[in-house]
Amino acid sequence: MWKIFQFFLFVASWAMAIVAHPNVTTAQEFDVNPRKALPFPPGISLESQCGVVDDLQHVEFYDGALGVPVDYVEEHEASTVQLQWLDEGRIRQRMPNYVPGNIGGVRWCSGTLFDDRHVLTAGHCFDTHDGSDGWLTPWRMNDSGNPEHAEPALLAQLLVVNFKFQRDRQTGANRTPDTFPVVKLVEYRKGPDALDYAIVELGKNDENVLPGERYSPATLAVRDGVVEELLTIIQHPQGDPKKIEAGKLLSFDARDVFYSDIDTHGGSSGSGIRNSAGAVVGVHTNGGCVPDVPDSANRGVSMTAIATVSDMF
């Protein structure tokens, strides 16, 4: 019953936004849909599909139909990663005084490796959740008898990062991911507007190597977008094996990048928004495409905005 209530509450709020803004055409109006692109809770499956067809393709099966060459995907997909929570047993071991919540083992967000050990992703991937959106992160009762949720810096260390979680073209089966621990939340929602981005530091994997020793990091591009330029988002939609989508830049402002024909789903949060050269120009944060609403759009935060507050760029 709780899941059904959540579903109708979400749909009702979405419908109210549509009625209030029937012709979404400006950057300011795009903000009416605040849904972050996290996975939907168990039992709920809504999408941020733009148009009548879901154009997402598995990276190793990409056929060139989206406007970028096949070798573009082969060159750039390896730096796209998936963030996944430790299983519930390991969360309990790490945090014995906490209730683990319902996140154990969930494939959570996407991100991009940009040097030998750092991943750029969305800030809300490390926000606390009190159950009101269907997700509950670890919590405990404090000395005052009030619930106290684990802070983002602690939550980050309950996540691992998967490389190469994708479907093998030769076998059709999912590849076994190459997994690295998150050792530190380096930056999180910095700036006066708590910009929706984060940077995590990864440790070595079980073979004692850093990710940058095995996978080529992405290039970051700090520049304004060009309307109608081709953008690509390589992502893990709804926790799936890695997929690609591409489309055109619809609009941008000082903070956000908007794209109306690039499908994303829950779990795509934190994916790099790449230009035609493969450089990351932004971080995907929100699903906003709404059926039958002209020019409604998915969106992300721009690298230009991130660079103004980050100490790493």
Side-chain angles (χ1 to χ4, degrees):
M1 182 63 71
W2 170 241
K3 294 175 183 176
I4 295 173
F5 173 76
Q6 287 178 304
F7 174 80
F8 282 107
L9 182 63
F10 175 80
V11 172
S13 64
W14 198 4
M16 289 176 64
I18 295 171
V19 171
H21 295 268
N23 295 301
V24 182
T25 56
T26 68
Q28 183 176 5
E29 289 176 313
F30 286 141
D31 284 339
V32 299
N33 184 358
R35 165 64 182 158
K36 300 178 178 68
L38 290 173
F40 285 93
I44 299 177
S45 181
L46 295 176
E47 304 172 344
S48 299
Q49 183 176 312
C50 304
V52 297
V53 177
D54 186 340
D55 297 319
L56 283 155
Q57 295 189 33
H58 289 280
V59 289
E60 294 190 34
F61 290 77
Y62 177 59
D63 60 10
L66 300 176
V68 294
V70 172
D71 59 4
Y72 172 102
V73 180
E74 293 174 348
E75 180 180 357
H76 299 296
E77 61 85 4
S79 57
T80 294
V81 302
Q82 179 186 70
L83 281 69
Q84 182 178 11
W85 295 104
L86 297 174
D87 62 50
E88 183 175 320
R90 293 174 70 189
I91 291 175
R92 288 182 181 276
Q93 289 176 353
R94 294 275 187 95
M95 305 179 69
N97 298 321
Y98 283 77
V99 177
N102 66 350
I103 55 170
V106 174
R107 298 184 184 277
W108 194 238
C109 283
S110 304
T112 308
L113 181 74
F114 66 89
D115 64 15
D116 67 337
R117 70 190 69 196
H118 290 102
V119 164
L120 176 66
T121 185
H124 65 256
C125 297
F126 307 96
D127 289 349
T128 61
H129 294 263
D130 62 5
S132 59
D133 64 351
W135 292 116
L136 182 63
T137 48
W139 64 279
R140 63 183 177 183
M141 300 300 291
N142 62 22
D143 293 339
S144 301
N146 297 314
E148 176 182 274
H149 291 268
E151 294 296 321
L154 184 55
L155 291 178
Q157 296 178 43
L158 300 178
L159 286 155
V160 295
V161 169
N162 296 322
F163 287 75
K164 303 300 284 188
F165 178 56
Q166 57 203 58
R167 191 160 295 173
D168 188 327
R169 183 176 179 85
Q170 300 301 317
T171 67
N174 293 340
R175 293 185 182 274
T176 300
D178 188 5
T179 300
F180 296 79
V182 174
V183 298
K184 183 180 181 181
L185 182 60
V186 178
E187 291 187 357
Y188 166 75
R189 290 186 173 277
K190 292 191 67 177
D193 297 323
L195 203 61
D196 193 357
Y197 86 100
I199 296 170
V200 294
E201 179 182 339
L202 307 186
K204 294 182 177 181
N205 66 2
D206 291 340
E207 299 174 51
N208 201 37
V209 299
L210 288 169
E213 299 176 56
R214 184 167 288 172
Y215 306 102
S216 297
T219 300
L220 305 179
V222 180
R223 66 162 180 80
D224 288 336
V226 178
V227 173
E228 295 291 306
E229 73 172 312
L230 187 64
L231 300 176
T232 300
I233 298 183
I234 304 173
Q235 57 188 284
H236 286 277
Q238 199 59 25
D240 285 352
K242 193 184 302 179
K243 296 179 179 179
I244 175 180
E245 235 290 51
K248 293 181 179 179
L249 171 63
L250 179 65
S251 177
F252 66 91
D253 58 24
R255 183 192 66 190
D256 294 312
V257 182
F258 300 90
Y259 26 94
S260 62
D261 58 351
I262 304 179
D263 299 324
T264 62
H265 303 306
S268 299
S269 276
S271 305
I273 306 165
R274 299 174 186 258
N275 63 18
S276 59
V280 173
V281 297
V283 174
H284 174 69
T285 58
N286 292 71
C289 283
V290 181
D292 301 322
V293 177
D295 292 332
S296 61
N298 294 334
R299 78 171 191 263
V301 61
S302 72
M303 277 304 306
T304 301
I306 293 171
T308 63
V309 298
S310 174
D311 294 327
M312 296 197 68
F313 311 122

